[in-house]
Structures are given as C-alpha cells and as structure tokens.
Amino acid sequence: MMRLTMAALVLGVLFGLPTGARAQWAIPDGVKTVSVGGYPLAYQETGSGEPVVLVHGSLGDYRIWYAQAPTYSKDYRVLSLSLRHYYPERWNGVADDFSIAQHAADVAALIQRLNLGPVHLLGHSRGGAVVLTVAKEHPELIKTLILEDASGMEGLLPETPGTKAMAGEVKGLVARLRENRPRATRRRPARNSPTV
C-alpha cells in the first residue's frame, strides 16, 4: 500500500497532476479541490474538449451553473468553480484574502495547476471583474473572454469628472456598508443564556 501511495505521489509530481488540498470543511460528492496558494479551491468538472472555466458572481458559487454546465459539457470540458471563501466553505468573514485580486490569482493558479490554458473564461457579475483581472495579468491563459452582466469595468473607463464622481459614490456606499456591518451582525443573547 505504501509503495502504491508513493508511486501515485511521484507520478503526480512528474506529470503535474492536480492534487486535492485538504479542506477543513465537508466537500460534497462530485466536487474536486485543487490547492492554490495553500487554499483548497472547490470545482466541478464535466465533459471533454476545450476547457471552459465558469466564474460565479457575489451571490453564487459553483452550483449557480447547474443549468448551463450540462449543455456546455456536450462540446467542452467545463469547470465551474467556487471562489475562495464561497460554498462549500462556511466562512466567518474574517480574513484579508477576499478580494478581486486574490480571486483572480486563484483562477489563474487553477488554470495553471490543472494545465488547462488557454481557456474560454466566463465571468458573471462580480466574476466578470475577476476574469477581467485574470485577462489583464495572464493573457496567455485566455483563449476567449466572456463577460456576462459583468461588474468591474469601471477601471477601464477614461478618467473624467463623471467617472471620478461615480468612483467616489461607490467608495461612499462601500464605506456605509462597512460602517453598518457591525450593527447588523451583532447578536442578542437568548433569554436564558449567559451574557458573554
């Protein structure tokens, strides 16, 4: 048994085969993980052919593609992933690695680690900002870039008084959200529980 395990490890290293990172949370059946920067990035894979990587938006995860993946997988190798700190992880919101830049680095690392590139890269909503960043930082990994109701295009606009005003408005909204977050997440103790 030890020889078989060692042989698999050596083959994985020699041929660059992906190895699943150990998640500290349950990984659903049919979901794989690949270690990117020490983080177990979860993804589902179906079909064969040219790779298509699907990147969800803020309110989704790999499951958001349940209706599209079967159709796409008739002609393509489809990988629908969950970005860092999305399901199946139950994230507590505490970390400094939740950003467009980190998510883009993770997507690029997944493409490289699984030896996929160049890929058809599709981003929905916030995922659009992620894939735009991947394309900017790693154009060699992209065959086609597909933006579906993408956000994050503001940085591509020329700097004008209107775009500066829009950027200021967005920063103000984000600041208000951060300011209100502590109030919204405070929990009241149950009637019979001790106060902490």
Side-chain angles (χ1 to χ4, degrees):
M1 183 67 172
M2 180 64 139
R3 284 185 180 177
L4 185 59
T5 303
M6 201 57 151
L9 182 62
V10 168
L11 286 174
V13 170
L14 288 176
F15 294 103
L17 299 175
T19 56
R22 293 209 182 254
Q24 296 177 357
W25 48 87
I27 300 297
D29 290 339
V31 175
K32 301 175 182 181
T33 63
V34 63
S35 180
V36 294
Y39 182 86
L41 199 66
Y43 67 98
Q44 280 190 321
E45 182 176 1
T46 59
S48 61
E50 291 183 3
V52 175
V53 177
L54 306 175
V55 181
H56 62 83
S58 293
L59 301 178
D61 53 59
Y62 72 85
R63 300 171 298 177
I64 200 79
W65 303 105
Y66 75 92
Q68 293 84 6
T71 301
Y72 297 162
S73 67
K74 291 176 184 174
D75 297 309
Y76 298 96
R77 178 181 177 190
V78 178
L79 292 94
S80 48
L81 60 94
S82 278
L83 296 170
R84 181 182 294 249
H85 299 312
Y86 281 87
Y87 179 85
E89 179 183 358
R90 295 186 183 268
W91 187 45
N92 64 5
V94 178
D96 61 355
D97 60 352
F98 186 90
S99 67
I100 298 290
Q102 180 64 61
H103 288 150
D106 291 346
V107 171
L110 173 126
I111 294 168
Q112 292 166 334
R113 182 78 195 252
L114 298 178
N115 296 314
L116 299 175
V119 302
H120 301 286
L121 187 59
L122 188 154
H124 172 257
S125 189
R126 182 180 182 278
V130 172
V131 301
L132 278 170
T133 305
V134 174
K136 178 181 167 190
E137 300 295 325
H138 298 281
E140 74 282 1
L141 299 178
I142 312 297
K143 184 169 189 171
T144 60
L145 183 65
I146 306 152
L147 304 175
E148 180 188 17
D149 194 22
S151 64
M153 309 262 246
E154 300 82 15
L156 301 175
L157 297 173
E159 198 166 307
T160 66
T163 59
K164 285 181 182 179
M166 182 176 63
E169 186 177 326
V170 168
K171 285 181 183 177
L173 289 171
V174 170
R176 282 186 34 216
L177 284 171
R178 285 190 176 135
E179 186 179 292
N180 291 330
R181 182 173 177 257
R183 285 189 292 220
T185 58
R186 281 191 208 130
R187 295 182 184 199
R188 293 185 179 146
R191 289 184 181 186
N192 295 329
S193 68
T195 312
V196 184

